[in-house]
Amino acid sequence: MSEWTTVIGLEVHAELETESKMFSSCPVVDSVEAEPNTAVDPLSLGLPGTLPVINMQAMEYGIMVGLALNCEIPPINQFARKNYFYPDLPKGYQISQYDRPLAVNGYIDIELEDGSSKRIRVRRAHMEEDTGKLSHIMGGSLVDYNRAGVPLLEIVSEPDISSASEAEVYARKLRSILRYLGVNSGDMSKGLLRFEANVSVRLESDTELRERTEIKNLNSIRNMVKAIDFEVKRQIKLYDNGETVKPATLGWDEAAQRITVQRYKERADEYRYFPEPDLPVVEVSREQVAQIAAELPALPAKLQARFVDELGLSAYDAGVLTAERAVAEYFQKIVDAGVDPKLAANWLTTDLFRMMNANDIERECIERIPVTAQNFASLLTLVQQGTINQSTARKQALPAMWSSGADARAIVDEQGLAQISDQDLIAASVSKVLGENDDMLQRFLGGNKKVLNALFGKIMGELRGKGDPAVVRRLLMDTIEKMELN
Ligand code: ADP
Ligand code: MG
């Protein structure tokens, strides 16, 4: 029912792509590809007598993210032990941060569908270590400690998100920022980036937030959106039936497309956090913060502004082209090759994206499509020079480049796709088509202006699509005008 509104806070875990683990020199390996338990050391296994050492590269990556999310970086942060037992955590505690996180009080501005923007506050971002991975198979469980101790940044939003679609925009923007910074690939299917959605609903008249549930196991942003929608409906139904929402950890069952309850939980903190006695507090000097800020790579918002100011793109196109770093780079290469930015933006966001969608290729994978930026630039240069017309480029050359990977120039030459600008040839087609379609011509002369496009189409067909549209249009008009005068 419409009087309920949605309240969402997102907790995001991002593995930081460092060479070694958070507290030891043990290498970080691909936790899906690598053989289980091939990247473990005494620290990953939590053996007695081991002592952690802070990975300063991971701390720097964390600060980069904090700054990119407009956070304050407190002068001191501190690690704490979060105590609980689970087989994927052999130490019996996770080293995390508690009351002194690395970054606090930030925000992400998200653009909504109606063109307005909304600020989602980021409460904190703190460093911790990842746990091992359990697989449950046929009556038993296996544990892989490759992932144990991998640097993990947890980014927690305030409950400022008011719908599944806002959550989607926030998630995409955050993922894009992480990728721009080069600290996380954003791969959710491998669990390198993990979203947990805290969800509750409220009435306008409520003075406090209601009980929330927490949805885990979300392996894609699409599934997160579906899970939130499902959960919101479930909660509203419970309240409408006079029941209550119990705090719980939920999962998304992808096969069944439904929420499952993993466990009901108590709200009280049972982790007995205390300051990690084996590590010193971390001091972050103002000079260090200033230096990291100065070296921060260009972020999507900044790049978007530059595409508008320097290349004359619309804010919308610039937004689409900068949402993914890989797309922005692909686009930049085309422009660097001398192609008009607006032409490039048009072709990229319509034709190329359409082909990528049809082939189920995510935007971030653009560098792996069969048409390289260089080759795409060659095609657009041929269009710009008038060697080939737009529709032949779109309907014949580009698909051929996609399927064969061949060079634009070679395809145009081999398939004879070059534009026909020869006046005599075009004039002959114009007379032929007008001669064969006197009925259409009469309708046009009688005032039905729309018929002109149909005649134009027939002449282009006669020229096998390769006529220079401007010349065709001009000769068609000239011929008709002469007829009108007679
Ligand atoms: P903890 O995990 O320590 O219990 P909090 O309760 O402060 O932490 O919040 C965890 C996450 O849940 C945050 O992202 C926060 O925005 C969100 N959250 C808190 N209360 C609600 C609520 N009533 N509805 C939806 N999200 C909430
Ligand atoms: Mg939490």
Side-chain angles (χ1 to χ4, degrees), residues 301-343:
K302 216 159 142 198
L303 206 54
Q304 181 183 11
R306 191 168 75 68
F307 282 2
V308 170
D309 295 343
E310 292 176 18
L311 302 179
L313 299 187
S314 69
Y316 180 81
D317 278 351
V320 171
L321 291 170
T322 52
E324 287 297 339
R325 179 183 180 170
V327 172
E329 285 170 359
Y330 189 98
F331 171 74
Q332 187 68 55
K333 281 187 201 151
I334 299 169
V335 173
D336 288 346
V339 176
D340 173 62
K342 281 185 192 152
L343 183 76

Side-chain angles (χ1 to χ4, degrees), residues 423-466:
Q423 306 246 357
D424 294 341
L425 242 164
I426 294 177
S429 301
V430 170
S431 322
K432 179 160 184 264
V433 167
L434 290 181
E436 286 169 357
N437 298 279
D438 193 51
D439 52 326
M440 289 169 82
L441 178 61
Q442 294 312 323
R443 267 189 282 149
F444 176 76
L445 295 175
N448 184 348
K449 299 295 174 202
K450 276 191 231 151
V451 179
L452 193 69
N453 279 334
L455 286 168
F456 174 83
K458 281 188 182 291
I459 298 164
M460 283 302 259
E462 196 58 39
L463 295 162
R464 303 211 352 262
K466 296 181 294 184

Side-chain angles (χ1 to χ4, degrees), residues 394-414:
R394 178 169 291 125
K395 291 185 192 138
Q396 299 183 49
L398 187 57
M401 287 160 66
W402 184 285
S403 54
S404 69
D407 189 60
R409 182 84 237 187
I411 286 174
V412 169
D413 289 345
E414 275 162 28

Side-chain angles (χ1 to χ4, degrees), residues 11 13 82 154 156 196 198 212 214 265 273:
E11 289 172 275
H13 285 91
K82 180 179 182 181
E154 178 170 347
V156 183
E196 290 162 26
N198 295 271
R212 67 177 201 261
E214 184 172 351
K265 65 173 180 185
Y273 278 98

